[in-house]
Amino acid sequence: MFRTTLPLRFAHCDPAGIAYYPRYFELCDAAIEDWTAAVLGITRREMHVDRGLGLPTVTLTADFAVPSHLGDMLDFTVNVTRVGRSSVDLNVDIDCACERRFSVRYTQVLTDLAEGTSRPWPPELHERLIKESA
Amino acid sequence: MFRTTLPLRFAHCDPAGIAYYPRYFELCDAAIEDWTAAVLGITRREMHVDRGLGLPTVTLTADFAVPSHLGDMLDFTVNVTRVGRSSVDLNVDIDCACERRFSVRYTQVLTDLAEGTSRPWPPELHERLIKESA
Amino acid sequence: MFRTTLPLRFAHCDPAGIAYYPRYFELCDAAIEDWTAAVLGITRREMHVDRGLGLPTVTLTADFAVPSHLGDMLDFTVNVTRVGRSSVDLNVDIDCACERRFSVRYTQVLTDLAEGTSRPWPPELHERLIKESA
Amino acid sequence: MFRTTLPLRFAHCDPAGIAYYPRYFELCDAAIEDWTAAVLGITRREMHVDRGLGLPTVTLTADFAVPSHLGDMLDFTVNVTRVGRSSVDLNVDIDCACERRFSVRYTQVLTDLAEGTSRPWPPELHERLIKESA
């Protein structure tokens, strides 16, 4: 379980004064970016630039329970729920002051950016994911 | 069935040179914005500013089949798949040159922006949605 | 003189219901993207992917005269005001129903993306810019 | 002088792998949002929602010196350079590891959101700005 906190900024809010959902996904992706560095042990920069790997989303499902407002401090909890040969399922729960705001379930696939094809997890990353999903 | 075409711009692409999925949702929302004016017969401005109504997303599911690249012309097809008392299910398919790129299924709920509560569809909007979903 | 029209969408508006200026720059960049294809005669995709060239901004100055609201149709007029050996000055005026909303003056430099260094304009592009600036 | 540090995320980078300038302005605005809370002593939420005030940009000038890359930690330094009756000039310098990346000079005007007209600074905010600009 990995947790990070990000503020809901002016830039994320729509004319109704609440979070605009495409920006919610940008925030979720920021949380996964931080999770990558903390849990997988490599930054996205290393992953992309040095190793030529990406982790694109294949499917996602999002449930929006309660709207968020400008200035809310959002807690993102990232859980690994399944590890495949070259894929990973992530569950991201977003809370504010212990109230569930929304949840996103992702399937992402490790991809060779030059080839555009899936790549099996390198052993050290696979091990960390398995450990994290336990 | 409503169709609109939007270009995948530089602004929508990530360091891998392909569409960044939070921007995909921004494009989908632009397509739904155009659908609102064309099919519901009221612009979002009228809906939000004049009537104080919003159409926030309650759930969405997205499947990303094939990545899109800078300059791709994306065709968005919006279908009404279910009409509730105050909700609507939309299916948005996104193609490029007849190749399916991704699909998003939405449940959205008509909401009174001041109260933050759901609102039944006004009869004329409900009628248009029912006709569209036929 | 090149002109293109882009709508101010829900995605571009802030909690005050008016255009959020970072999105204004995204819209200006979309107008310049369209200008690139129409006036320089090469798309950004060709420029970036095929030729390995970019046109990053070195300086910009923006004057915001009148706020824009959700649903406004914005006319972007792009003028070439100076052509250097590897640079170009662009003036972008943004109007709605003949009312000036904002203006941006840019200096951009043709850049080799791999090297990160400036590149003189290829003769055919230089010629088109000179003709455009006349 | 107010300083805050924000990461250059995947979401901020373009297909050339460097910061996309409209996102730079979003980051600058986040830094000013943090400055507002820390220096003016009121959050943007209080300013917008409770007091009905905004601080829109009237003019800005930006100089981009050196490109930033995915994962760079950017230091934003916000200085008050002039205080008017209802306006403020801000200078934001952005550095990474002590290298100047870009700078933005803003003129912003305190605005009554309902009326759309400028408002003189309330005495306690004016005092804080004068102290900060000293």
Side-chain angles (χ1 to χ4, degrees):
Chain A
M1 196 187 86
F2 169 80
R3 180 166 293 180
T4 190
T5 301
L6 297 166
L8 191 78
R9 296 190 175 277
F10 193 72
H12 305 132
C13 295
D14 69 16
I18 58 175
Y20 180 53
Y21 75 90
R23 317 265 179 254
Y24 257 164
F25 289 112
E26 203 171 320
L27 286 167
C28 272
D29 191 53
I32 295 175
E33 192 169 304
D34 291 346
W35 168 87
T36 306
V39 172
L40 289 189
I42 53 169
T43 64
R44 249 194 206 175
R45 182 186 199 144
E46 291 167 329
M47 189 179 267
H48 272 81
V49 179
D50 303 345
R51 300 202 185 190
L53 296 173
L55 202 53
T57 296
V58 175
T59 64
L60 67 79
T61 299
D63 296 291
F64 303 96
V66 175
S68 298
H69 293 84
L70 174 57
D72 282 352
M73 292 305 293
L74 300 178
D75 297 314
F76 292 74
T77 306
V78 183
N79 277 294
V80 178
T81 54
R82 192 192 59 85
V83 185
R85 207 181 65 99
S86 59
S87 66
V88 64
D89 286 4
L90 298 176
N91 186 84
V92 186
D93 289 324
I94 298 85
D95 302 291
C96 180
C98 297
E99 178 186 61
R100 177 63 35 91
R101 295 295 171 80
F102 69 110
S103 296
V104 190
R105 293 179 295 290
Y106 289 91
T107 297
Q108 300 189 327
V109 172
L110 191 69
T111 299
D112 182 302
L113 293 176
E115 306 281 338
T117 53
S118 68
R119 270 269 302 270
W121 290 107
E124 82 276 15
L125 297 188
H126 194 261
E127 198 176 311
R128 283 177 205 145
L129 286 171
I130 290 290
K131 193 179 150 201
E132 191 68 15
S133 69
Chain B
M1 196 187 87
F2 169 79
R3 181 167 292 179
T4 190
T5 301
L6 298 167
L8 191 79
R9 295 189 175 280
F10 193 72
H12 306 131
C13 295
D14 70 14
I18 59 175
Y20 181 53
Y21 76 89
R23 316 269 177 251
Y24 258 164
F25 288 112
E26 203 172 319
L27 286 167
C28 273
D29 190 54
I32 295 174
E33 192 169 304
D34 291 346
W35 168 88
T36 305
V39 172
L40 288 188
I42 54 168
T43 63
R44 248 194 207 174
R45 183 187 198 143
E46 291 168 328
M47 187 179 267
H48 272 80
V49 180
D50 304 344
R51 298 201 186 191
L53 297 172
L55 202 52
T57 296
V58 174
T59 63
L60 68 78
T61 300
D63 295 292
F64 302 96
V66 175
S68 298
H69 293 85
L70 174 58
D72 283 352
M73 292 305 293
L74 300 178
D75 297 315
F76 292 75
T77 306
V78 182
N79 278 293
V80 178
T81 55
R82 191 190 60 85
V83 185
R85 207 180 65 99
S86 60
S87 67
V88 64
D89 286 4
L90 298 175
N91 186 84
V92 187
D93 289 324
I94 298 87
D95 302 291
C96 180
C98 297
E99 179 186 62
R100 177 62 35 91
R101 293 298 172 77
F102 70 109
S103 296
V104 189
R105 292 179 297 290
Y106 289 90
T107 297
Q108 300 188 327
V109 172
L110 191 69
T111 299
D112 182 302
L113 294 176
E115 306 281 338
T117 53
S118 68
R119 270 270 300 268
W121 291 106
E124 81 277 16
L125 297 189
H126 194 261
E127 198 178 310
R128 284 178 205 144
L129 286 170
I130 290 290
K131 193 179 150 203
E132 190 68 15
S133 70
Chain C
M1 194 186 88
F2 170 81
R3 180 168 293 179
T4 191
T5 301
L6 297 166
L8 192 78
R9 295 188 175 279
F10 193 72
H12 306 131
C13 294
D14 69 16
I18 58 174
Y20 181 52
Y21 75 90
R23 316 268 179 251
Y24 257 164
F25 288 112
E26 204 171 319
L27 286 167
C28 272
D29 192 53
I32 294 175
E33 193 169 303
D34 291 347
W35 168 87
T36 306
V39 171
L40 288 189
I42 54 169
T43 63
R44 251 196 205 174
R45 183 186 198 143
E46 291 168 326
M47 188 179 267
H48 272 79
V49 180
D50 304 343
R51 300 201 184 190
L53 297 173
L55 202 52
T57 297
V58 175
T59 64
L60 68 78
T61 300
D63 295 291
F64 303 96
V66 175
S68 298
H69 293 84
L70 175 57
D72 282 352
M73 293 304 294
L74 300 178
D75 298 313
F76 292 74
T77 307
V78 182
N79 279 292
V80 177
T81 54
R82 191 191 60 86
V83 185
R85 209 180 65 99
S86 59
S87 66
V88 64
D89 286 3
L90 298 175
N91 186 84
V92 187
D93 289 324
I94 297 86
D95 301 291
C96 180
C98 297
E99 178 185 63
R100 178 62 36 89
R101 293 297 171 78
F102 70 108
S103 296
V104 189
R105 292 179 297 288
Y106 288 90
T107 296
Q108 299 189 328
V109 172
L110 191 69
T111 299
D112 182 302
L113 294 175
E115 305 280 339
T117 52
S118 68
R119 271 270 302 269
W121 291 106
E124 81 276 16
L125 298 189
H126 194 261
E127 198 177 312
R128 284 178 204 144
L129 286 171
I130 290 290
K131 193 178 150 203
E132 190 69 15
S133 69
Chain D
M1 196 187 85
F2 169 80
R3 180 167 293 180
T4 189
T5 300
L6 298 166
L8 191 78
R9 295 190 176 276
F10 194 71
H12 305 131
C13 294
D14 70 15
I18 58 174
Y20 181 52
Y21 75 89
R23 316 268 179 251
Y24 258 164
F25 288 112
E26 204 171 321
L27 286 167
C28 272
D29 191 53
I32 294 174
E33 192 167 304
D34 291 346
W35 168 87
T36 305
V39 170
L40 288 188
I42 54 169
T43 64
R44 251 196 206 174
R45 183 185 199 145
E46 292 168 326
M47 188 180 267
H48 272 80
V49 180
D50 304 343
R51 299 202 186 190
L53 297 173
L55 202 51
T57 297
V58 175
T59 63
L60 69 77
T61 300
D63 295 291
F64 303 97
V66 175
S68 297
H69 293 84
L70 174 58
D72 283 352
M73 293 305 292
L74 300 178
D75 298 314
F76 292 73
T77 307
V78 182
N79 278 294
V80 178
T81 54
R82 191 190 60 84
V83 185
R85 206 179 67 100
S86 61
S87 67
V88 64
D89 286 4
L90 298 176
N91 186 84
V92 186
D93 289 324
I94 299 88
D95 301 291
C96 181
C98 297
E99 179 186 61
R100 177 62 36 89
R101 292 297 171 79
F102 70 109
S103 296
V104 189
R105 291 179 297 290
Y106 289 90
T107 298
Q108 301 190 326
V109 171
L110 191 69
T111 299
D112 182 303
L113 294 175
E115 306 280 339
T117 51
S118 67
R119 271 269 302 269
W121 291 106
E124 81 277 16
L125 298 188
H126 193 262
E127 198 178 313
R128 284 180 204 141
L129 286 171
I130 290 290
K131 193 178 148 201
E132 190 69 15
S133 69

